Amino acid sequence: MGDGNNPDLESFRKEWQEEVTARSKPKAPRHTGDKAQTHREKITASKPANALPPSEVYEQPDVDPVIGISAQAYHDLEDKEDARRLGIAGSRDVPTNQAAEEPKSALEHYEKAVEREDQGNLGDSVNLYRKAFRLDANVHSVYKKKHFPPSTTKAKPPSPNPSDAPVTVPNTAHHSLHGPSARSASISQLISACSTSSILASPPPTEGSQSPACPIADIPCETLVQILRDTAIIDLASFARLSLVCRRLAYLVATEDPIWHRLCHGLEFGFAAMHYRWTCTVAGNELPASCGYSSFNPDGHLDISTLTLEHIPPPTPPLFSLSLSPAYPTYRFMLHRRPRVRFNGCYISTVNYQRPGVSSSSSSTFTSPILIVTYYRYLRFFRDGTCVSLCTTNEPIDVVHHLTKENMHSHHNRESTLPTAVMRHALRGRWKLSGSLNFNRTANSAGVDGYSPEGQVHVETEGVDPKYMYKMDLEFRSAGRESGGTRNNKLVWKGYWSHNRLTDEWAVFAIKKDRAFFWSRVTSYGMGW
């Protein structure tokens, strides 16, 4: 049979000629579909006459019989490489002005540095910042004015007297709170508004049910005042917190002057327990009719005459009366503002400072260590005029519960591990307040009474050696909120001296690193009896 009678051969020749002609012509880069089209042409050329049409033929990819992975052919790789080189279709879109302009001014360097910093490129950002500040030291202000200009519109100030604010509302924008006198008037108005209030029972828990009983609402006012008086004598803090319960109790706490009169004249929290003269020796023994008295004059200079014998005035009689003055117009104000010592806690001073250490000879570093030193000073006052002073590195939780007279003995062993062993360095002492019991600020400031201004506490303690005696002058201050907070709960240093009893010499201790004492209540002390 001749070759001209073979239809398959003729068909193959035509397809081959078409393929050669197509390859000889310039063409665009082929896409991923070229592989499938070439594979389809091969199947069509080699299929028999009775084969299925090309659309119904399942395309089996070429699989490597060894590794079992489909073999992929990239017929148009050279065309794509040519397109990338020549910049024709199929190449990347690279703009002609891709190279960014280099910053020239200081502001441009700064803006570029901020951009690089936002991108996370800190190295380039630091270099650009340096260049910017070399060109202009005030480039930061220029950048801030450009990108963060100040607002041209000013905010409208709030109305000092809003029309919808009643007179008795304690609003900070109300005109009645401008100035201390106006604020006091507003508080007085609030207290007066509570005068007609009564103690209300709790509302019923559910609708239709009865309200719970409130026996205290039926108590007469005289009996209620007596209950408040007994509460104040037992715990002054609990008495003050009763004003938060309701308006009626708030009115009674603020206006019942007999209760505050009893507190000021009482021994529990009042000034009857204060001492304005020495009542004992440094060791805690009773003073004779005349004794050696070593101290400073009110002006702070040493008075040699006071180192000899001095008559001690008789103690204050138990029945006395504190007179009110312009400085203390009410007994409530007096108890809150006048300096007094607290016995239901102790005063703690925490000292922290740094000092250079010594590097070890075996250390390979050239730097010296820095040591952080922390120690504490404790000061507790007793009602009989004695006190305890302790300087140690032990924390307050290990010390405050042992600051008692029972632990003030010399039988503590240095190697003892008992909890009370922290008291082996404690020093006995005595204390007194400056001023007088019936203090008049105006007369005292003129030097009429001969007493130093009130507000200071003088402490004398034993020394580490029996021949020494230490003297501390402290001043009352307030820590925390200025208005409405606790007053006179802080003791700041005024001076610290050492007295040699044998040579009668005084030396001054440096108190640059020492910090103020802060009062801390200790529940185990109770009332400090």
Side-chain angles (χ1 to χ4, degrees):
M1 182 180 293
D3 295 340
N5 297 328
N6 191 347
D8 295 336
L9 183 58
E10 291 296 333
S11 175
F12 175 75
R13 287 176 179 175
K14 290 180 180 181
E15 292 177 359
W16 178 74
Q17 291 177 356
E18 292 176 358
E19 184 176 354
V20 172
T21 304
R23 287 187 178 183
S24 61
K25 294 180 180 180
K27 58 185 178 180
R30 299 179 183 178
H31 301 283
T32 55
D34 295 339
K35 175 186 174 183
Q37 182 66 23
T38 305
H39 189 68
R40 190 179 296 109
E41 291 174 356
K42 292 180 181 179
I43 296 176
T44 306
S46 59
K47 68 179 180 178
N50 57 352
L52 295 173
S55 60
E56 299 181 6
V57 177
Y58 174 75
E59 298 181 6
Q60 177 71 24
D62 299 334
V63 179
D64 193 321
V66 179
I67 61 177
I69 301 177
S70 302
Q72 300 181 2
Y74 302 92
H75 302 285
D76 57 343
L77 183 60
E78 295 182 359
D79 299 335
K80 289 184 178 181
E81 292 295 335
D82 294 339
R84 291 191 180 95
R85 287 195 300 268
L86 298 177
I88 60 177
S91 64
R92 296 180 181 176
D93 297 333
V94 180
T96 56
N97 57 348
Q98 181 181 5
E101 297 181 359
E102 292 294 332
K104 298 180 180 180
S105 64
L107 181 59
E108 292 178 355
H109 280 84
Y110 198 93
E111 292 174 345
K112 195 69 175 178
V114 173
E115 181 182 352
R116 293 296 177 85
E117 185 179 0
D118 293 339
Q119 295 174 358
N121 195 343
L122 300 182
D124 295 345
S125 176
V126 171
N127 294 332
L128 291 170
Y129 278 130
R130 289 175 179 173
K131 294 179 181 179
F133 280 102
R134 287 174 184 172
L135 295 175
D136 185 5
N138 298 325
V139 64
H140 175 68
S141 301
V142 178
Y143 175 83
K144 189 175 181 180
K145 291 180 180 179
K146 178 181 178 182
H147 295 276
F148 306 98
S151 177
T152 56
T153 60
K154 296 183 179 180
K156 184 179 179 180
S159 175
N161 186 12
S163 58
D164 56 343
V167 178
T168 57
V169 173
N171 194 328
T172 56
H174 198 271
H175 65 87
S176 61
L177 294 185
H178 291 178
S181 59
R183 182 177 180 273
S184 301
S186 177
I187 295 177
S188 302
Q189 292 175 0
L190 286 174
I191 294 175
S192 301
C194 299
S195 59
T196 57
S197 301
S198 59
I199 301 177
L200 302 178
S202 300
T206 58
E207 295 183 2
S209 60
Q210 296 181 355
S211 300
C214 185
I216 196 174
D218 301 329
I219 296 179
C221 183
E222 295 77 7
T223 307
L224 186 60
V225 170
Q226 184 64 32
I227 294 175
L228 295 179
R229 179 178 178 273
D230 296 341
T231 303
I233 295 174
I234 296 174
D235 190 359
L236 179 59
S238 299
F239 169 71
R241 283 194 294 267
L242 285 175
S243 61
L244 305 176
V245 176
C246 63
R247 293 186 177 184
R248 181 59 179 173
L249 293 182
Y251 176 77
L252 293 177
V253 169
T255 59
E256 279 299 321
D257 200 59
I259 298 179
W260 295 102
H261 180 276
R262 169 62 179 82
L263 292 176
C264 287
H265 290 77
L267 291 171
E268 298 82 8
F269 305 98
F271 299 96
M274 301 297 106
H275 301 287
Y276 297 91
R277 288 290 183 269
W278 301 117
T279 58
C280 61
T281 62
V282 175
N285 301 323
E286 185 180 356
L287 281 175
S290 60
C291 64
Y293 178 74
S294 61
S295 180
F296 281 95
N297 272 339
D299 56 359
H301 300 287
L302 179 64
D303 190 359
I304 303 299
S305 62
T306 59
L307 300 177
T308 60
L309 300 181
E310 176 181 327
H311 176 68
I312 302 299
T316 305
L319 298 177
F320 67 96
S321 177
L322 294 173
S323 59
L324 300 178
S325 64
Y328 306 113
T330 62
Y331 289 107
R332 181 173 67 90
F333 193 85
M334 178 185 294
L335 189 66
H336 186 229
R337 297 297 183 92
R338 189 174 181 181
R340 56 188 174 88
V341 170
R342 304 170 189 270
F343 305 108
N344 55 349
C346 65
Y347 295 83
I348 304 174
S349 172
T350 304
V351 184
N352 290 290
Y353 69 92
Q354 298 179 358
R355 67 176 181 86
V358 179
S359 58
S360 176
S361 58
S362 60
S363 177
S364 59
T365 60
F366 296 96
T367 59
S368 299
I370 302 298
L371 304 180
I372 301 178
V373 181
T374 302
Y375 66 91
Y376 305 88
R377 289 187 181 273
Y378 301 91
L379 195 60
R380 183 184 177 184
F381 300 97
F382 296 98
R383 293 179 178 272
D384 58 353
T386 61
C387 65
V388 176
S389 176
L390 175 63
C391 181
T392 179
T393 57
N394 296 91
E395 297 183 357
I397 192 174
D398 300 325
V399 177
V400 294
H401 299 290
H402 307 293
L403 284 174
T404 60
K405 291 183 178 180
E406 291 76 11
N407 295 327
M408 290 295 302
H409 55 79
S410 58
H411 304 293
H412 295 290
N413 189 358
R414 291 182 176 273
E415 299 179 356
S416 175
T417 58
L418 296 175
T420 57
V422 296
M423 294 292 292
R424 60 173 173 265
H425 299 300
L427 303 176
R428 295 175 296 181
R430 60 180 181 176
W431 65 272
K432 72 168 185 175
L433 295 178
S434 61
S436 61
L437 187 59
N438 284 303
F439 181 78
N440 190 330
R441 179 174 299 179
T442 304
N444 191 272
S445 60
V448 176
D449 295 337
Y451 297 107
S452 60
E454 71 171 359
Q456 295 184 8
V457 55
H458 306 286
V459 179
E460 292 183 355
T461 64
E462 299 174 327
V464 293
D465 192 272
K467 68 178 181 179
Y468 290 106
M469 186 268 294
Y470 298 151
K471 177 178 175 59
M472 294 183 286
D473 281 355
L474 306 170
E475 185 177 7
F476 285 97
R477 295 286 179 84
S478 300
R481 296 180 302 171
E482 289 295 332
S483 60
T486 305
R487 292 298 187 114
N488 302 316
N489 58 346
K490 177 181 177 181
L491 293 176
V492 298
W493 288 92
K494 301 294 291 184
Y496 194 15
W497 300 272
S498 173
H499 177 228
N500 191 326
R501 301 174 186 268
L502 301 180
T503 61
D504 198 15
E505 295 178 352
W506 290 85
V508 180
F509 287 122
I511 54 176
K512 294 181 179 180
K513 298 177 182 179
D514 288 288
R515 297 294 181 264
F517 290 86
F518 292 89
W519 178 76
S520 178
R521 183 174 181 179
V522 182
T523 309
S524 60
Y525 292 173
M527 295 290 292
W529 296 109

